[in-house]
Amino acid sequence: MSKVGLFYGSTTGNTKNVAEMVRNELGADNVDLHDVAGAGPADVGGYGILILGVSTWGLGDLQDDWEAFASSLKSLDGRKVALFGLGDQQAYPDTFVNAMGTLYEKATEAGADVVGAWPTDGYDFGDSTAVVNYEFVGLALDEDRQPDMTAGRVKAWVNQLKVELGLQTETEMSDETLQPPMGGRI
Ligand SMILES: Cc1cc2nc3c(=O)[nH]c(=O)nc-3n(C[C@H](O)[C@H](O)[C@H](O)COP(=O)(O)O)c2cc1C
């Protein structure tokens, strides 16, 4: 598979940890990890597939390093982009993972084909700019209130991405997901 560029910004380390989980689920050899604090526009150039990870700060703002880096998301025509966002649904119920919504807007404006939408079931929040057509535009995670759910959500989302990005063939999928028939003779 062609290399994926995973770009993240993280203030206290939560988004960084998730970025590493996503990389490991995709296979470490397949992913280049970039902390946007040390990246520039040229780093975005080479990848056909981008994964962008961001936490929300202030009241619905981009994480600080993303504030500076977001303008690097230009000319993404024909490129696939997947998003994940971290937030706190209880303390910030009306701006939950808004930064993911901001990156979604920037990526679509730049012509990207955004994949990896995720259901809102299982979260309890009031409003989010990251919800479009009743779904999150990418994977929403809450390390403050639902840390035990993160690993399972990441695993399921990465499996979904593999299919949506065509990184895994149907045969591989069915081999992996094929269950023995219930009540079958041993
Ligand atoms: C001052 C402050 C403001 C925050 N604002 C928001 C917010 O508006 N929306 C939200 O969903 N989460 C908000 N959060 C929660 C963070 O996004 C969350 O803790 C996240 O896991 C931090 O990730 P990071 O360590 O990778 O930056 C805020 C947290 C703090 C401390």
Side-chain angles (χ1 to χ4, degrees), residues 18-68:
V18 171
E20 287 167 356
M21 292 168 75
V22 169
R23 178 194 57 183
N24 293 342
E25 287 295 333
L26 272 171
D29 291 346
N30 300 322
V31 181
D32 290 333
L33 214 54
H34 297 271
D35 183 341
V36 298
D43 292 311
V44 180
Y47 303 104
I49 299 171
L50 299 170
I51 300 179
L52 312 178
V54 66
S55 51
T56 299
W57 286 82
L59 212 48
D61 299 336
L62 283 178
Q63 188 268 342
D64 274 353
D65 303 310
W66 264 112
E67 288 283 1

Side-chain angles (χ1 to χ4, degrees), residues 10-15 55-58 60 86-88 92 95-97 144:
S10 187
T11 300
T12 68
N14 291 339
T15 309
S55 51
T56 299
W57 286 82
L86 278 81
D88 178 340
Y92 303 94
T95 54
F96 181 50
V97 296
D144 297 289

Side-chain angles (χ1 to χ4, degrees), residues 102-113:
T102 305
L103 289 191
Y104 171 78
E105 235 178 68
K106 288 189 188 296
T108 47
E109 271 168 25
D113 176 11

Side-chain angles (χ1 to χ4, degrees), residues 1-4 26-27 29-31 49 162 165-168:
M1 81 185 237
S2 62
K3 274 230 162 175
V4 174
L26 272 171
D29 291 346
N30 300 322
V31 181
I49 299 171
K162 285 179 182 170
L165 292 168
L167 303 176
Q168 193 169 26

